[in-house]
Amino acid sequence: MARGLVLCSQTRTIAKLSFFLSYPKLWFKPHRHHHPCYGPHNIPSARVFCHCVNSQTLNLVDMAKYNEAFSRRMAMAGIKHHNSIALGVSGGPDSMALCVLAASWKTEGLYGVDNSGKFIDGLLAIIVDHGLRSESKDEASLVGNRVSEMGIRCKIVRCDWLNGKPKQGHLQESARDMRYKIFQDVCMQNQISVLLVAHHADDQAELFILRSSRDSGVLGLAGMAFTSQVFSSHTNFCNNDWKNHSVLLVRPLLDFSKEDMYKICQGSNRDWVEDPTNRSPLFARNRIRASLGNLLSGTFNSELQAVISACRRTRIYVDQICNSLIKQSITVMDQGYAVINLKTLNPSKIEDICLSKFITLVLQFVSQRQRPIRGSTSKLLLQYIRTIPCKISLTAAGCYICPAPGSKGFEALVCCSVYCPLPSNAESFRTFSNVEEKHCFSDELEQIIANGRSYSNNNLVTDSSQAQFLDMRSQSVLDEARRLDVISESTYRNIISLQREEVSHFKSKTDEVASGCESKQGTEHIAAFLSEPLLPGQTCYFMNRFIISWKLSKEISSNWFRGEPLSLSYLQGDCHCCCVNEDEMVAKVRTMIDADWLYLAELTKWPHSDNFEATRLPLTGKITCLDYSRLSAKVALKSLKSIPVAARKSMPLLVDDHGRLLSIPSIGFKHCPCMKASAVFKPRVPLGGGHSSFL
């Protein structure tokens, strides 16, 4: 949706308006603090389409200045002119300004047009039709035509609300989630590694007020990242390796104001869309936007941005410390858990904010739940990690934390807890063909990130004295900013007033939101243990953590148990198992339970034949699996002894339709020698959360 914002008083815009569908063409000149397209008391239900026209009062726009600033930010992100880029486009002044600057930047690189001779090569605009209004399809088409006129290829995607359209109270949040999911899907389909979105400085100001009203810490007050690696729900097999597809989300307009967006559209004579839903007081951002409209004077705006910049420097410092701590003190195990070396970590020497962020990153990685950890849970984890040697266990944020066996409390295990709400348990993935594999775009993204990091390394915050607001909540940040003369007394009072106004709205919704979360949490917990059948040759992503596949083999190898004294000569040659019928056999995936390893122990005690050759069936030459499964269980139990009990519970296994154990791939157990199963620990989001920059 377009992000409408009340223009400040310096604007000299004259816009020709056409109300799409049922509204006649009208002319308006905006009044002070009013939106350029409609008055405060008469908001149409359909979007308003604005057309720039010449005016004697319109100042000339210095487009060279904007193009130069945009080019500089693209270089900071590590993006080159030849890289393929997608643009998130709503048709509002922000995204249309982004289209103008991106098109100019691309053609500046002399890469020209594509083979059709019509569109700029390597540039794709993604327009999402949310389908929440009857006229949205026609509006998306009109926006697409306007963007195409700029030489930018378009892809219009309509939302498919499988569970019904979102309710009014969650409309903007649901629409945003759906929009970014579509952005990622389209980028993957077109092998595009970079997505540009049009967030700007005024959006950062709104977010600062919103988060400060929720008593956010300094890391939250740093606002949106300049660049961040966003990981898709899709998993790919590319270049003989499993790769989680990601897109580099870039916000190149964070140094620009909302007024700049209008000027860029005017300077390039481009039309835009105004969405009246962006003025509805039902949504927190809209309320804050309306209040800020009367305050974004030169002094207030510059001082507020100065506070945000100081918070971002603090965020850069904390992220640097956390990355260093992860490299020094974390060991990730193939079975899906992490080990923290508390001696190496030395928590007593680390600031609370850095240690809290560090443990949050570790827990989010192991559980693959990217929710923030706040309040009492954060304090509990901080207290736990500072206690050396650790002697107790606890469950928090989707993880089970306990002392590592044999470490005397100087190492802590972080295991995924299957008793907490978890991500969706199984998803299919895409396999690239040999032709596509040659054009795998993950290498391009890695190079872009490397380019961006080389720039960031020259702007590191190496001294804690440069991080002004360590361990401060929102009120403390403002108090310290006033003490350091970053903001004046007037700006301080105005920010506090905005906070209080939004807090009153927020508290009235707290009970309703809390009750909704409780019911949703229960549903997630039940869904985590459901599983669709996995057919031979298929592959699934289990709990966002394990890539699981299995198949049946016609020939049986004799090298299953190397090092075992028992001979399995009967498995040599072309022999087949009598208990396997590929047409009938299916498997389901679930996590390990106590009964599974008790079953393995019982299996090792089953009687077996002294003469293995006797297990061949007469005439057919087929074999039974009894002796094989007994020996496989024996080997598996040896492997299990090296895995902590807490970590075993999140290991995936395969069972048949009747719940009988077929395989535990992580430790090599299989009930049948004809079965080949694998479980590769490949978390969707890597440890540390992937690349991001708050420059």
Side-chain angles (χ1 to χ4, degrees):
M1 290 183 221
R3 287 175 164 269
L5 182 69
V6 178
L7 285 178
C8 63
S9 59
Q10 290 87 350
T11 303
R12 296 291 185 268
T13 306
I14 296 180
K16 179 181 178 182
L17 309 180
S18 63
F19 293 88
F20 187 65
L21 294 182
S22 59
Y23 295 92
K25 293 184 178 181
L26 301 172
W27 288 79
F28 283 103
K29 182 174 180 178
H31 297 284
R32 181 181 177 89
H33 305 318
H34 285 176
H35 200 282
C37 294
Y38 39 78
H41 304 296
N42 185 22
I43 304 175
S45 60
R47 288 187 178 187
V48 181
F49 293 83
C50 306
H51 306 276
C52 293
V53 295
N54 294 327
S55 170
Q56 296 178 351
T57 61
L58 181 63
N59 295 325
L60 294 177
V61 177
D62 185 2
M63 291 299 296
K65 175 186 71 173
Y66 291 120
N67 286 325
E68 181 181 352
F70 182 85
S71 181
R72 185 169 57 250
R73 297 294 281 184
M74 294 293 278
M76 289 171 59
I79 306 171
K80 307 295 184 182
H81 288 90
H82 66 271
N83 295 136
S84 296
I85 295 170
L87 309 173
V89 178
S90 66
D94 309 347
S95 62
M96 293 304 289
L98 177 64
C99 288
V100 169
L101 296 175
S104 176
W105 177 81
K106 262 289 188 181
T107 53
E108 179 187 78
L110 301 180
Y111 278 85
V113 297
D114 62 10
N115 294 331
S116 69
K118 181 180 179 181
F119 297 113
I120 301 171
D121 195 23
L123 200 58
L124 175 68
I126 307 173
I127 301 171
V128 178
D129 172 14
H130 293 92
L132 300 176
R133 293 176 292 109
S134 59
E135 61 271 22
S136 64
K137 182 178 179 180
D138 293 327
E139 293 173 0
S141 179
L142 180 58
V143 172
N145 291 335
R146 290 179 173 179
V147 173
S148 296
E149 291 171 358
M150 300 168 63
I152 302 176
R153 179 184 285 103
C154 292
K155 173 73 173 179
I156 300 177
V157 184
R158 185 176 176 86
C159 292
D160 185 8
W161 301 101
L162 296 177
N163 298 321
K165 294 181 180 180
K167 296 181 180 179
Q168 186 69 21
H170 303 280
L171 182 63
Q172 287 190 329
E173 180 183 358
S174 299
R176 178 192 178 279
D177 291 343
M178 178 67 78
R179 185 161 60 248
Y180 277 91
K181 180 182 182 303
I182 290 173
F183 287 162
Q184 292 177 48
D185 290 345
V186 174
C187 284
M188 192 189 81
Q189 292 164 8
N190 292 272
Q191 299 191 27
I192 296 175
S193 300
V194 178
L195 170 67
L196 306 186
V197 291
H199 293 123
H200 48 77
D202 290 14
D203 291 325
Q204 288 282 52
E206 294 169 17
L207 187 58
F208 181 91
I209 300 299
L210 178 63
R211 289 183 173 176
S212 63
S213 70
R214 272 52 165 177
D215 196 29
S216 177
V218 64
L219 301 185
L221 296 179
M224 294 173 282
F226 166 49
T227 62
S228 55
Q229 195 174 359
V230 182
F231 292 87
S232 170
S233 59
H234 298 281
T235 305
N236 311 318
F237 184 73
C238 183
N239 294 333
N240 297 319
D241 188 21
W242 297 107
K243 291 185 179 293
N244 290 336
H245 176 60
S246 63
V247 174
L248 186 66
L249 180 66
V250 183
R251 299 179 173 93
L253 306 184
L254 288 181
D255 286 344
F256 296 25
S257 69
K258 182 70 175 189
E259 185 175 351
D260 290 329
M261 303 297 104
Y262 286 103
K263 286 183 177 179
I264 292 168
C265 290
Q266 295 162 15
S268 58
N269 196 28
R270 296 297 171 185
D271 304 333
W272 68 87
V273 174
E274 296 289 354
D275 190 341
T277 60
N278 287 330
R279 299 190 68 199
S280 169
L282 291 173
F283 307 113
R285 272 187 172 274
N286 296 351
R287 294 192 297 268
I288 295 171
R289 184 178 303 132
S291 299
L292 279 172
N294 296 320
L295 293 173
L296 284 179
S297 63
T299 301
F300 176 86
N301 189 42
S302 62
E303 291 182 354
L304 179 56
Q305 294 299 330
V307 176
I308 296 173
S309 295
C311 291
R312 293 171 79 80
R313 287 195 298 273
T314 302
R315 174 73 187 244
I316 292 172
Y317 171 77
V318 171
D319 287 349
Q320 291 170 201
I321 296 297
C322 288
N323 290 335
S324 177
L325 294 175
I326 287 172
K327 292 177 182 177
Q328 295 171 9
S329 60
I330 297 294
T331 303
V332 178
M333 310 304 290
D334 292 339
Q335 289 76 24
Y337 64 98
V339 181
I340 304 176
N341 189 319
L342 298 177
K343 277 188 175 180
T344 303
L345 182 64
N346 197 7
S348 63
K349 302 294 184 180
I350 305 171
E351 296 101 333
D352 282 357
I353 189 172
C354 296
L355 191 60
S356 180
K357 178 66 175 178
F358 163 80
I359 190 63
T360 294
L361 289 173
V362 176
L363 266 60
Q364 287 178 335
F365 167 72
V366 173
S367 70
Q368 287 296 295
R369 299 195 315 167
Q370 301 305 306
R371 301 172 185 170
I373 300 173
R374 301 189 180 98
S376 58
T377 302
S378 180
K379 293 178 181 177
L380 178 65
L381 290 168
L382 200 60
Q383 181 182 1
Y384 181 89
I385 209 72
R386 288 198 186 280
T387 304
I388 301 178
C390 62
K391 298 180 179 179
I392 63 172
S393 304
L394 63 89
T395 301
C399 291
Y400 180 77
I401 312 171
C402 63
S407 70
K408 298 182 179 179
F410 290 99
E411 291 182 348
L413 301 181
V414 182
C415 312
C416 182
S417 173
V418 297
Y419 302 110
C420 292
L422 296 169
S424 177
N425 69 318
E427 300 171 18
S428 60
F429 75 102
R430 182 184 180 190
T431 302
F432 284 109
S433 66
N434 292 333
V435 175
E436 291 173 311
E437 193 173 319
K438 296 178 182 179
H439 304 285
C440 189
F441 49 95
S442 59
D443 293 339
E444 180 183 65
L445 178 59
E446 290 174 3
Q447 184 59 56
I448 293 171
I449 290 175
N451 295 340
R453 280 177 173 159
S454 65
Y455 186 95
S456 300
N457 290 338
N458 297 324
N459 296 272
L460 298 179
V461 181
T462 56
D463 190 345
S464 61
S465 63
Q466 297 176 270
Q468 296 173 304
F469 306 129
L470 284 173
D471 282 340
M472 290 187 181
R473 309 302 297 179
S474 59
Q475 183 61 53
S476 301
V477 167
L478 292 175
D479 292 341
E480 182 68 5
R482 180 176 58 173
R483 187 186 71 80
L484 296 172
D485 291 328
V486 177
I487 57 175
S488 63
E489 182 66 29
S490 173
T491 298
Y492 175 84
R493 289 197 303 268
N494 284 330
I495 293 175
I496 294 297
S497 176
L498 290 172
Q499 286 179 355
R500 289 173 178 169
E501 181 180 343
E502 185 53 37
V503 165
S504 64
H505 289 282
F506 177 65
K507 286 185 176 180
S508 65
K509 297 290 184 180
T510 300
D511 294 338
E512 178 183 345
V513 172
S515 62
C517 290
E518 290 176 2
S519 60
K520 183 179 180 181
Q521 203 173 60
T523 303
E524 289 181 345
H525 176 70
I526 295 171
F529 293 92
L530 299 177
S531 179
E532 294 297 324
L534 186 64
L535 301 177
Q538 288 185 337
T539 303
C540 76
Y541 213 172
F542 184 64
M543 292 165 49
N544 290 350
R545 303 170 75 244
F546 288 96
I547 296 171
I548 300 175
S549 63
W550 72 279
K551 64 180 181 179
L552 299 175
S553 176
K554 294 181 179 180
E555 294 188 2
I556 304 173
S557 171
S558 61
N559 298 320
W560 294 106
F561 306 112
R562 290 180 178 178
E564 285 296 315
L566 297 175
S567 170
L568 291 179
S569 59
Y570 77 102
L571 290 178
Q572 295 179 1
D574 185 15
C575 54
H576 304 277
C577 177
C578 66
C579 64
V580 173
N581 185 334
E582 185 171 355
D583 295 332
E584 298 178 358
M585 192 171 181
V586 296
K588 292 185 177 181
V589 186
R590 63 167 172 82
T591 52
M592 198 170 186
I593 58 177
D594 293 348
D596 295 320
W597 56 73
L598 292 175
Y599 170 74
L600 293 180
E602 289 296 324
L603 192 57
T604 61
K605 301 175 184 178
W606 285 4
H608 62 278
S609 170
D610 292 332
N611 180 8
F612 287 163
E613 295 293 334
T615 58
R616 285 184 182 271
L617 296 182
L619 301 178
T620 65
K622 293 185 178 181
I623 63 169
T624 61
C625 294
L626 180 59
D627 285 320
Y628 177 86
S629 59
R630 180 193 59 78
L631 190 53
S632 181
K634 180 181 177 182
V635 175
L637 283 175
K638 288 183 179 180
S639 298
L640 274 178
K641 290 180 180 179
S642 65
I643 302 173
V645 174
R648 300 177 194 175
K649 294 183 178 180
S650 61
M651 287 170 48
L653 50 77
L654 301 171
V655 297
D656 64 14
D657 278 334
H658 303 287
R660 292 180 297 218
L661 184 61
L662 294 175
S663 175
I664 309 176
S666 300
I667 56 174
F669 172 76
K670 296 179 297 180
H671 214 296
C672 171
C674 293
M675 188 177 192
K676 292 183 178 181
S678 67
V680 180
F681 181 54
K682 189 71 174 180
R684 176 162 292 155
V685 181
L687 182 57
H691 170 71
S692 64
S693 171
F694 282 80
L695 292 174

